[in-house]
Amino acid sequence: MLCSKKEFDERIGSILITAEEIKEKIKKAGEYISREYEGKPLLLLSILNGSFVFAADLCREVTIPCEIGFMRVSSYLNGTSSSGDVNIIMDVSQDISGYHVVIAEDIIDTGRTLSVITEKLRRRNPLSLKVVTLLDKPERREVDFKADISLFTIPDLFVAGYGLDCAEYYRNLPYIAVCNV
Ligand code: PRP
């Protein structure tokens, strides 16, 4: 549904994390991954939709041979609250048993999505499995889940931008902003 420009501008609040801050952290994460996985078969797995921008920028900071995989998952019934269910809408096409898998996720909120996804992926016997998340919101955690690398820990605010949406808008913002919901 078309959102008016006025509505679009009103719903987005202050910038929480700038594009420059994101770029700097991603560069460091890319360097770390490049060091850690040199000489190993690496699969960077983007969890769609939210991580598409993060994964695109992260993979371009990785300087070693690397495959990219995609998995589409949906866990939210509406724009702001978790349904508790995690559905795989599109599975990764690679046989992950031949790879060291690094999951690129945009945000860990309740922890349900990654808890379910990592359990399912571990059963496929990857050579190793790690999680890199752009944002972590520990105050919202409902299941015990910790990322291996978390670039930014944020308070319990509804945020959008840099791949994250609010009612499907704002994914194209180059920064993370607070959303007025
Ligand atoms: C968001 C986000 C994570 C998940 C985190 O996805 O991209 O995958 O929620 O929440 P959790 O820790 O509470 O499980 P969402 O289902 O909104 O879909 P999207 O990525 O397509 O926006």
Side-chain angles (χ1 to χ4, degrees):
M1 200 173 69
L2 181 66
C3 166
S4 71
K5 178 74 168 76
K6 185 169 175 284
E7 221 180 314
F8 181 84
D9 291 342
E10 278 171 3
R11 210 186 290 163
I12 204 75
S14 56
I15 296 179
L16 188 66
I17 307 171
T18 65
E20 291 70 29
E21 288 169 325
I22 295 171
K23 194 173 166 47
E24 200 180 309
K25 290 271 182 137
I26 290 182
K27 191 169 170 41
K28 286 191 181 138
E31 285 167 3
Y32 173 79
I33 291 169
S34 305
R35 270 198 314 274
E36 205 66 12
Y37 294 93
E38 186 162 10
K40 298 174 179 170
L42 172 62
L43 176 68
L44 188 69
L45 180 57
S46 165
I47 308 297
L48 299 171
N49 293 336
S51 81
F52 79 107
V53 179
F54 174 47
D57 281 349
L58 179 61
C59 75
R60 283 177 289 177
E61 295 295 347
V62 172
T63 53
I64 58 169
C66 166
E67 284 188 41
I68 319 288
F70 299 94
M71 195 166 183
R72 187 165 176 219
V73 164
S74 181
S75 59
Y76 283 6
L77 273 181
N78 55 48
T80 57
S81 60
S82 177
S83 68
D85 293 331
V86 176
N87 303 308
I88 294 181
I89 297 169
M90 184 190 85
D91 209 344
V92 54
S93 59
Q94 287 93 340
D95 172 0
I96 67 165
S97 66
Y99 297 92
H100 291 273
V101 178
V102 175
I103 294 178
E105 179 62 294
D106 54 311
I107 188 165
I108 305 178
D109 195 336
T110 66
R112 288 186 194 287
T113 303
L114 280 179
S115 171
V116 172
I117 295 307
T118 53
E119 199 189 309
K120 284 181 197 285
L121 292 177
R122 280 214 172 84
R123 276 192 233 121
R124 301 180 193 175
N125 300 313
L127 297 172
S128 68
L129 181 65
K130 300 260 187 207
V131 172
V132 181
T133 187
L134 176 70
L135 306 177
D136 190 3
K137 229 193 243 185
E139 282 171 51
R140 292 262 307 163
R141 209 65 103 246
E142 288 174 17
V143 298
D144 187 23
F145 189 89
K146 208 171 173 311
D148 298 283
I149 303 174
S150 168
L151 303 196
F152 298 95
T153 298
I154 62 166
D156 185 12
L157 295 168
F158 196 87
V159 293
Y162 202 76
L164 288 93
D165 76 306
C166 176
E168 290 305 326
Y169 286 109
Y170 308 108
R171 293 194 196 267
N172 55 322
L173 295 179
Y175 49 80
I176 302 284
V178 177
C179 207
N180 306 313
V181 287

